[in-house]
Amino acid sequence: MTENKPSLLVLFGGISPEHEVSCRSAAAVLRAVDKEKYRVLPMGLTKEGAWILTQASPEVIEAGAWEHDASSERAVISPDRGIHGIVAEKQGQIHVDCIFPVIHGETGEDGSIQGLFKLAGIPFVGPGISASACAMDKGLTKAVVRGTGVRQAPHAETDRFRLAAGPLQEMQRILDVLGETYPFFVKPACTGSSVGISKVADRKELAEAIKLAASLDHKVIIEKEIRGRELEVAVLGNRDPQASPVGEIRAAAAFYDYDAKYKSSVDQTSIVEDLPEEKLDEIRHDALTVFQALGCRGMSRVDFFLTDEGEVVFNEINTLPGFTSISMYPKLWEAAGVPFTELIDRLVALAMEAAEEEER
C-alpha cells in the first residue's frame, strides 16, 4: 500500500435487527470499492456492541463469520480529533480520511454514530446528525413533509406510555383518527428494512400489530393503506442533489417486507418506463423536496406510491439505503450510467466536500 492512498473505513454490523443486512451491504461495497484508490479498512460492530477491525474477505463478512477471522482485532473510533481515526488493540492509532457507514437501523442511521464521526472530525458518507435522526423517526419525518405540500398517507401515532395507561381508550382514539376502513399498516417509528411492519385487516389484528411494533420501538405509526404502484428514487448530492430514474418494486408478498427486500428471488425491481415524462419528473421533484426539507446530504432513497388515479404519495425516506446485490439504490444509479464503483467514489467525494464546507 502506498502512503498517499486515502484511508476509507467501511463500517458495518451493529446492534439492530438489520445486522445481517448490514453485513451483506458491506460485502457488496467491499467488492466494488476501488482498492487501487483507497486503503480500505473494514470494521464491524457485533450484535453485542463490540468494535472489531478486520481484513476478512467480503464472503466471510457476508456469512457473518468475520468476528472470529484470524485478522480481526478489537478497535474503536476515537472521538479525539488529534487521532482522527481508529485506536486498534494491536496496530495502535490508524488515521482515517473518510468513513462509509453501512450500518442500517438503530444507532447506525439515527444520528447516533454520525455524532461520533462529528466528534472525531472525520468526514463520513450520508446525511448528518439531525437529518439522520429526523428521517429515522417516521413520525418526525411526516411532520416535516407535511409542510412541503408533498402528499402522504393519513396516519395516527401512539406510544408505549399511552398504550400502557389505557390500551382500549388508545385503540379507540386511533380508530377515531383513521376510521375503521381497513387495511392499515402498523410500523415501529424508528426501524428500517420493514422490520416489525404488519398489514392488518381488522381490530384484532391491529391490536396484535401495535403490540409487536411497540416491542421494537416506543413509538408506533399506523397508516391507512395506499393502493398503487411502489416507486423509489435514489438521491445523490449535497447542495445541488440529483434524482435517479424512478424504480418500481413488484413485491410477491402482501407488501415489500424484510424477506422481499433482502432474500426473495421472486420479487422484481425495474426502471419505470411506462409513465409520462411529466409524471416521472413530478416523482423526482417530490423526492428532492423531501430530501432537502429534511436537510439531507450525500444520499438517500425516497419511496412513494403512485395511485390508480395518478396521485404521488410519499411513503418514507431511507438515509442509509441497502447496498446489497439486489438493493435499489445502487441499481437505480447504475441505470443512470453510474456503476457501483463510481457511485462509491462520488459518495466519498460528497462526504469530503460536506466536511470542508462545515469547516469554513
Side-chain angles (χ1 to χ4, degrees):
M1 295 182 183
T2 58
E3 289 299 323
N4 60 353
K5 278 186 184 179
S7 52
L8 179 64
L9 179 67
V10 178
L11 194 62
F12 62 90
I15 64 172
S16 84
E18 298 168 72
H19 178 97
E20 286 78 11
V21 177
S22 173
C23 292
R24 292 177 64 185
S25 287
V29 169
L30 290 168
R31 291 186 183 103
V33 68
D34 186 349
K35 297 176 182 63
E36 295 299 315
K37 183 177 290 187
Y38 307 103
R39 179 190 179 191
V40 181
L41 302 167
M43 187 172 187
L45 276 70
T46 70
K47 291 181 179 180
E48 294 73 35
W51 298 60
I52 297 178
L53 183 65
T54 183
Q55 284 299 318
S57 68
E59 292 72 27
V60 170
I61 290 172
E62 190 166 21
W66 52 273
E67 296 179 38
H68 308 294
D69 188 83
S71 68
S72 296
E73 62 177 300
R74 295 294 294 269
V76 293
I77 296 173
S78 173
D80 186 330
R81 291 195 170 199
I83 292 174
H84 205 278
I86 302 167
V87 178
E89 192 172 47
K90 298 175 184 176
Q91 299 179 60
Q93 295 183 16
I94 303 173
H95 182 88
V96 172
D97 291 292
C98 186
I99 300 173
F100 195 135
V102 201
I103 299 181
H104 308 305
E106 181 186 357
T107 72
E109 55 184 312
D110 61 5
S112 300
I113 209 159
Q114 287 77 14
L116 173 59
F117 304 155
K118 181 75 172 177
L119 283 171
I122 305 172
F124 59 94
V125 169
I129 300 169
S130 59
S132 297
C134 188
M136 187 67 180
D137 186 319
K138 297 176 181 66
L140 291 177
T141 299
K142 288 180 179 297
V144 172
V145 172
R146 192 177 300 125
T148 68
V150 174
R151 187 187 170 197
Q152 51 190 337
H155 74 284
E157 297 182 21
T158 187
D159 57 50
R160 290 175 184 168
F161 312 110
R162 285 186 284 185
L163 289 166
L168 295 179
Q169 296 92 326
E170 187 61 10
M171 179 72 70
Q172 188 57 55
R173 186 190 67 81
I174 291 166
L175 294 173
D176 288 344
V177 171
L178 295 178
E180 204 156 352
T181 304
Y182 296 93
F184 299 153
F185 282 96
V186 181
K187 308 176 179 182
C190 296
T191 64
S193 296
S194 298
V195 172
I197 296 181
S198 305
K199 183 177 181 179
V200 303
D202 55 39
R203 189 179 288 220
K204 180 176 183 295
E205 289 184 357
L206 176 61
E208 292 170 350
I210 290 175
K211 183 178 179 181
L212 170 63
S215 71
L216 297 170
D217 186 30
H218 81 279
K219 186 192 293 186
V220 177
I221 308 294
I222 305 96
E223 292 179 334
K224 279 196 170 185
E225 180 188 43
I226 299 294
R227 295 184 180 179
R229 298 168 68 173
E230 296 187 47
L231 308 179
E232 300 187 343
V233 179
V235 180
L236 178 70
N238 290 340
R239 289 191 177 185
D240 187 24
Q242 297 175 306
S244 74
V246 179
E248 180 169 12
I249 303 297
R250 294 187 179 92
F255 64 98
Y256 196 44
D257 61 8
Y258 181 95
D259 285 348
K261 285 182 176 178
Y262 301 113
K263 299 180 181 179
S264 174
S265 59
V266 177
D267 299 275
Q268 298 179 351
T269 61
S270 61
I271 303 302
V272 176
E273 298 177 335
D274 63 339
L275 292 176
E277 194 62 34
E278 295 79 9
K279 183 57 65 175
L280 295 172
D281 285 344
E282 178 187 350
I283 296 164
R284 287 192 288 260
H285 176 270
D286 284 357
L288 292 172
T289 297
V290 171
F291 181 87
Q292 293 179 306
L294 289 166
C296 293
R297 68 171 206 209
M299 66 173 170
S300 291
R301 194 195 69 237
V302 192
D303 302 346
F304 297 93
F305 296 107
L306 180 66
T307 70
D308 294 340
E309 295 74 33
E311 290 185 287
V312 179
V313 182
F314 168 70
N315 181 21
E316 62 185 32
I317 182 170
N318 191 318
T319 55
L320 283 180
F323 277 87
T324 72
S325 60
I326 62 172
S327 293
M328 280 294 279
Y329 190 87
K331 282 183 172 293
L332 288 170
W333 283 114
E334 185 176 6
V338 183
F340 204 162
T341 298
E342 182 182 337
L343 178 60
I344 293 170
D345 288 345
R346 289 197 186 186
L347 288 167
V348 171
L350 288 166
M352 302 300 286
E353 174 187 278
E356 288 174 5
E357 288 189 353
E358 289 176 3
E359 290 297 319
R360 290 174 189 167

